[in-house]
Amino acid sequence: MKNWVWIIYFPATVTMAEADIITVSSWDEIKEELTKAIANQESNIYILYKGARGEFKDEEETKEKIKQALIEAENDESLSDFDRKNIIATGSKIEIHYDDYLGIRYVIQYKNSKEDMEIIEREARNAIDTRISDDMTDEEKIRALYDYVLDTFHYGKHREDINDREGLLKERDIVGGLNGEGVVCDAYTRYMAKLLSEAGYNNRIVSGYTKNGGHTWNMVEINGQWYHIDTTSGDAVNNMIEESGI
């Protein structure tokens, strides 16, 4: 759910001549490499395409095809909802353009980086090891993970206006949430999705609207049935109860 547009800058510090280049010979291979890059939170992907190009009428059509490859990679069924929702902006650029090959650079920006993911996965695994046990039912296990998110995160906004990119990223930063920073529903939901996946449950991230605007929450499958989980709203209810002294 991307309701903003940012210009992606292509830093000049690394060129295709200096970078690790992936050589492919088909457009399907481009999508496969992009899908793998997204799963591994790779930010700069350099592809040397040496396949047939007779199907393209001009450079503009080629650019559109390159963009479409990234869109299709984002929606590949091998990626989890967490992987997709972790992307915040993308860009593509033809850096070398000859009759017999193309040099393509993709830039993908994430809410949480590859380095962040090591922390997130470690904390998720620790929570699963300490909060759930084999003798618990599925409902009890999921409730324990839900309570853990509520115990760990607290709601908070940092973006001052629609152009405040730093604030927007901060309030969606799972690692920040783990360290006590306020975060919004995006971080709550993605972390819950990571916990559910690590615990072995099929799950989805749902985007929609409430009376307060755009919102995201989770769905989890238990014995063939799908259930909604909203950790953000659950945390808000808990906070209201605590503040009222109930």
Side-chain angles (χ1 to χ4, degrees):
M1 185 174 63
K2 302 169 187 171
N3 296 322
W4 52 86
V5 176
W6 285 329
I7 296 173
I8 302 297
Y9 291 97
F10 292 79
T13 53
V14 179
T15 67
M16 288 197 71
E18 300 169 319
D20 293 330
I21 298 173
I22 302 165
T23 302
V24 301
S25 58
S26 73
W27 288 99
D28 284 340
E29 286 182 86
I30 292 178
K31 288 183 283 187
E32 289 171 9
E33 294 297 336
L34 290 172
T35 300
K36 288 190 288 186
I38 292 168
N40 291 315
Q41 293 82 46
E42 300 291 347
S43 295
N44 287 282
I45 306 98
Y46 300 86
I47 294 177
L48 189 63
Y49 174 74
K50 292 188 174 182
R53 291 183 53 213
E55 61 187 291
F56 304 108
K57 297 177 182 178
D58 52 40
E59 186 169 337
E60 286 305 312
E61 187 173 343
T62 302
K63 288 179 181 178
E64 288 303 313
K65 188 76 172 180
I66 288 169
K67 292 178 184 177
Q68 186 61 32
L70 184 52
I71 293 170
E72 292 182 20
E74 284 188 61
N75 290 289
D76 190 274
E77 61 182 10
S78 68
L79 294 176
S80 67
D81 280 0
F82 180 96
D83 294 324
R84 296 187 189 94
K85 296 295 184 181
N86 192 36
I87 297 171
I88 199 161
T90 61
S92 59
K93 181 180 181 182
I94 298 175
E95 293 207 340
I96 305 172
H97 190 177
Y98 292 106
D99 290 339
D100 53 349
Y101 63 88
L102 283 175
I104 309 165
R105 181 178 181 184
Y106 289 96
V107 173
I108 306 174
Q109 296 180 344
Y110 302 93
K111 298 167 187 173
N112 284 107
S113 67
K114 189 172 187 176
E115 292 72 27
D116 288 344
M117 287 307 303
E118 295 179 6
I119 299 170
I120 292 166
E121 290 174 358
R122 183 181 68 239
E123 292 299 315
R125 178 47 54 188
N126 182 63
I128 290 167
D129 290 343
T130 57
R131 296 270 182 153
I132 66 177
S133 58
D134 292 339
D135 61 349
M136 298 170 81
T137 66
D138 288 325
E139 290 81 0
E140 288 171 336
K141 291 176 182 179
I142 292 169
R143 178 67 197 215
L145 296 177
Y146 170 91
D147 288 340
Y148 159 68
V149 174
L150 268 60
D151 292 341
T152 304
F153 281 2
H154 72 271
Y155 191 86
K157 291 186 175 182
H158 303 282
R159 183 170 51 160
E160 296 181 0
D161 56 55
I162 194 169
N163 296 314
D164 182 7
R165 180 176 182 177
E166 183 178 349
L168 184 142
L169 288 170
K170 185 176 181 179
E171 64 191 25
R172 285 161 173 75
D173 180 9
I174 294 174
V175 175
L178 291 169
N179 290 329
E181 297 284 350
V183 291
V184 297
C185 60
D186 182 280
Y188 277 84
T189 302
R190 286 190 297 118
Y191 191 43
M192 188 67 191
K194 176 60 69 175
L195 288 162
L196 291 169
S197 294
E198 290 290 330
Y201 293 99
N202 291 332
N203 66 93
R204 300 298 308 268
I205 293 176
V206 183
S207 297
Y209 292 89
T210 68
K211 64 180 181 180
N212 296 317
H215 187 52
T216 63
W217 63 96
N218 304 90
M219 292 187 70
V220 63
E221 184 180 21
I222 306 175
N223 297 323
Q225 296 291 320
W226 286 88
Y227 299 88
H228 294 268
I229 303 175
D230 192 336
T231 48
T232 315
S233 295
D235 204 17
V237 169
N238 279 358
N239 289 336
M240 284 190 289
I241 290 173
E242 289 174 5
E243 290 172 6
S244 64
I246 298 176

